[in-house]
Amino acid sequence: MLNRRNFLTAAVGVAAAGGLAACAKEDDSSSDSSTGSGGGKKLTLGFSQVGSESGWRSANTDSVKSAAKEAGYTLKFSDAQQKQENQISAIRSYITQGVDVIAFSPVVVTGWDAVLKEAKAKKIPVVLTDRSVETSDESLFVTLVGSDFTDEGRRAAKILEKVLEKAGHKGAVKIAQLEGTTGAAPAIERAKGFKEIMDADHKDDWKIVVSQTGDFTRAGGKQVMAAFLQSNPDINVLYAHNDDMGIGAIQAIEAAGKKPGKDILIVTVDGVKDGFVAMSEGKINAIVECNPLLGTQLMEVVQKVKDGETVERWIKTKESDFMQDQAKAALPTRKY
């Protein structure tokens, strides 16, 4: 059992290893000022969020809303409820309203050309956040503010090496993979990065025996993991593309009479509070960080884009104390 000091040390260590996956609901929010941070006419930002499927996404939404208010921007916010058609509808609404900049975190990678061409025709710049898209014309969006998901997958594989060593595991490593939403950038790239390390360094002893989407949700993780255990009862490792699917999987593992973190070693990605609660209980073995606090960076980029300044094509997420903060927040839930 971890004491407080050791738990925080473990959290910092994992963060260091991690380094740095119906109609839409809309609301408008802004600061009280009639001018933006530059002292001129207030900038209006239209932002379409993927949904509210996970703790990471909730933290990301809070960060965007808070940063827009602090910057003095009018924020038109839409929750797409994980449906691409809702995001496209929201973006078209922002185009009609004549917002200054559009930002969105795309549900999936493909299928955006038409609506992005509409935004370009109206001279409204588009900034991607968190996730990338594939387009026929690179000029359809200005930049992406987000993490390197492929590298997160690589780091998940490297940290699994350490987890296996610590557990004293010998023999074949039979991995179940809980993928994120089908077609979403983090699902594609976290799987790619993990497999890259696995194929290079563990071709003979690691094997992904089953892999399926849990849609980045806790309920999806639970349902799919239960099916995994029925078809492959000898699974001994779970790699989940986010904490919430991992937490759902823990419920299925326990229902099957197995011990998560022991009978089945678990590595996840994100670093939200509930993930650290599970890690403090020994049910998740390691977490790779993905920082959701993109709000301040996004607002800085939005202002530069509006001012016509040149920005990099990909602006990587800054490191933060997010994981350490989540670990500290998880501590009161444990009795020592």
Side-chain angles (χ1 to χ4, degrees), residues 218 242-252 268 272 274-275 278 284:
R218 201 168 296 196
N242 78 340
D243 290 346
D244 279 79
M245 289 191 297
I247 292 164
I250 286 169
Q251 298 172 21
T268 64
V272 299
D274 286 353
I284 288 179

Side-chain angles (χ1 to χ4, degrees), residues 79-330:
D79 178 344
Q81 300 175 349
Q82 292 185 278
K83 296 181 184 297
Q84 184 179 32
E85 59 267 31
N86 289 346
Q87 283 199 304
I88 290 172
S89 176
I91 292 168
R92 286 191 168 130
S93 173
Y94 298 149
I95 294 169
T96 300
Q97 294 174 61
V99 301
D100 295 299
V101 180
I102 292 171
F104 74 109
S105 181
V107 176
V108 293
V109 170
T110 59
W112 302 103
D113 277 23
V115 72
L116 293 181
K117 286 177 181 176
E118 292 169 26
K120 184 178 180 180
K122 293 295 184 179
K123 296 181 168 35
I124 301 175
V126 175
V127 175
L128 304 180
T129 72
D130 177 36
R131 301 177 176 185
S132 61
V133 300
E134 294 176 2
T135 66
S136 60
D137 180 356
E138 289 292 307
S139 71
L140 294 179
F141 68 93
V142 179
T143 187
L144 162 67
V145 181
S147 300
D148 186 336
F149 298 133
T150 302
D151 195 53
E152 288 172 359
R154 294 187 193 107
R155 288 184 272 124
K158 297 303 288 185
I159 206 167
L160 176 58
E161 292 175 338
K162 296 178 181 179
V163 167
L164 289 164
E165 182 182 358
K166 184 177 179 182
H169 180 86
K170 304 295 182 184
V173 177
K174 298 180 180 181
I175 303 167
Q177 179 174 232
L178 276 169
E179 305 168 26
T181 302
T182 301
I188 295 167
E189 293 165 20
R190 285 173 185 164
K192 177 184 174 183
F194 188 90
K195 192 171 187 301
E196 180 182 307
I197 298 298
M198 186 180 77
D199 288 349
D201 300 338
H202 301 283
K203 206 166 188 177
D204 297 329
D205 56 332
W206 290 19
K207 183 179 180 182
I208 297 176
V209 296
V210 63
S211 184
Q212 186 177 321
T213 179
D215 213 24
F216 282 127
T217 67
R218 201 168 296 196
K222 180 180 180 180
Q223 180 179 0
V224 175
M225 190 66 194
F228 284 173
L229 291 168
Q230 286 287 326
S231 61
N232 295 272
D234 56 348
I235 291 165
N236 49 32
V237 168
L238 169 66
Y239 167 42
H241 288 185
N242 78 340
D243 290 346
D244 279 79
M245 289 191 297
I247 292 164
I250 286 169
Q251 298 172 21
I253 292 167
E254 291 177 329
K258 296 178 180 286
K259 292 184 178 179
K262 292 184 179 179
D263 297 329
I264 299 178
L265 304 174
I266 300 175
V267 173
T268 64
V269 182
D270 273 354
V272 299
K273 176 186 172 183
D274 286 353
F276 275 101
V277 171
M279 193 161 75
S280 76
E281 296 170 339
K283 296 179 181 182
I284 288 179
N285 300 89
I287 300 172
V288 174
E289 180 182 12
C290 181
N291 179 13
L293 307 182
L294 306 182
T296 300
Q297 272 184 286
L298 174 61
M299 299 313 147
E300 291 171 355
V301 170
V302 163
Q303 187 64 56
K304 288 179 179 179
V305 168
K306 175 60 177 151
D307 292 342
E309 295 183 29
T310 300
V311 296
E312 298 173 53
R313 186 65 176 170
W314 179 18
I315 299 170
K316 292 188 180 181
T317 306
K318 294 176 182 175
E319 293 186 24
S320 73
D321 293 330
F322 176 72
M323 285 185 71
Q324 289 88 336
D325 291 343
Q326 298 300 290
K328 291 173 184 176

